[in-house]
């Protein structure tokens, strides 16, 4: 009888721990970064760069490639509340081999991401930053 009571006690404690969860509901995420984002590209690239970043007005697309041949390049964006993430990517052609650019992302003036891209032997260059999520789940 004593063994049955111990088994029932430990079984009920086990079930209690399994049923309790410290996870927050999906709508209780904490803001991770400011939505006031600055993208910058610095360095040396003699070719033409096509620059893409998340659309500032929705969460479902990227801007069409913005073209530049002059560095440094900068874009300041205030993302709306429906946008959950952003990032920056470049693709270039007609540069010189081994030219280097740096992609930077700032949130409210604080550097949060940086990546380098180097032109290949044909002068083509490709680079991208990590995805920047505006919110995060503190349980992960």
């Amino acid at each position: 009888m004593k063994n049955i009571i111990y088994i029932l006690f430990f079984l009920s404690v086990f079930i209690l721990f399994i049923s309790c969860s410290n996870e927050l509901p999906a709508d209780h995420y904490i803001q991770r970064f400011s939505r006031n984002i600055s993208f910058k590209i610095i360095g040396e690239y003699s070719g033409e760069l096509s620059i893409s970043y998340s659309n500032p007005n929705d969460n479902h697309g990227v801007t069409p490639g913005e073209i530049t041949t002059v560095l440094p390049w900068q874009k300041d964006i205030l993302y709306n509340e429906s946008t959950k993430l952003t990032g920056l990517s470049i693709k270039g052609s007609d540069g010189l081999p081994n030219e280097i650019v740096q992609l930077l992302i700032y949130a409210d003036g604080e550097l949060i991401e940086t990546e380098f891209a180097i032109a290949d032997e044909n002068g083509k260059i490709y680079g991208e930053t990590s995805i920047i999520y505006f919110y995060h789940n503190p349980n992960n």
Side-chain angles (χ1 to χ4, degrees):
M1 180 71 169
K2 205 174 193 178
N3 287 340
I4 292 175
I5 292 173
Y6 283 126
I7 291 172
L8 289 175
F9 172 77
F10 286 113
L11 185 60
S12 62
V13 169
F14 179 73
I15 290 171
L16 180 66
F17 280 117
I18 289 176
S19 65
C20 293
S21 173
N22 65 351
E23 287 196 29
L24 297 172
D27 63 349
H28 195 81
Y29 284 30
I30 295 172
Q31 186 165 337
R32 182 177 196 175
F33 296 114
S34 164
R35 294 176 169 279
N36 185 16
I37 299 295
S38 293
F39 297 114
K40 292 183 183 179
I41 302 173
I42 59 175
E44 302 265 339
Y45 189 68
S46 56
E48 182 177 271
L49 285 177
S50 176
I51 304 163
S52 298
Y53 45 87
S54 296
N55 186 317
N57 298 316
D58 68 45
N59 195 39
H60 304 294
V62 296
T63 59
E66 192 171 314
I67 305 295
T68 189
T69 56
V70 179
L71 293 180
W73 173 90
Q74 180 171 335
K75 184 73 153 188
D76 301 318
I77 299 173
L78 179 59
Y79 281 93
N80 69 26
E81 289 296 317
S82 68
T83 305
K84 305 217 181 339
L85 53 88
T86 191
L88 178 65
S89 68
I90 60 165
K91 185 168 78 170
S93 58
D94 300 326
L96 297 174
N98 301 315
E99 289 182 305
I100 300 173
V101 298
Q102 186 176 11
L103 290 72
L104 305 130
I105 301 178
Y106 294 83
D108 265 348
E110 178 185 343
L111 181 63
I112 59 172
E113 177 74 16
T114 182
E115 291 293 331
F116 288 91
I118 302 173
D120 66 14
E121 66 275 356
N122 298 314
K124 294 182 180 184
I125 196 165
Y126 176 79
E128 63 184 5
T129 64
S130 300
I131 295 172
I132 303 299
Y133 294 93
F134 291 116
Y135 289 93
H136 77 284
N137 182 341
N139 295 313
N140 292 336

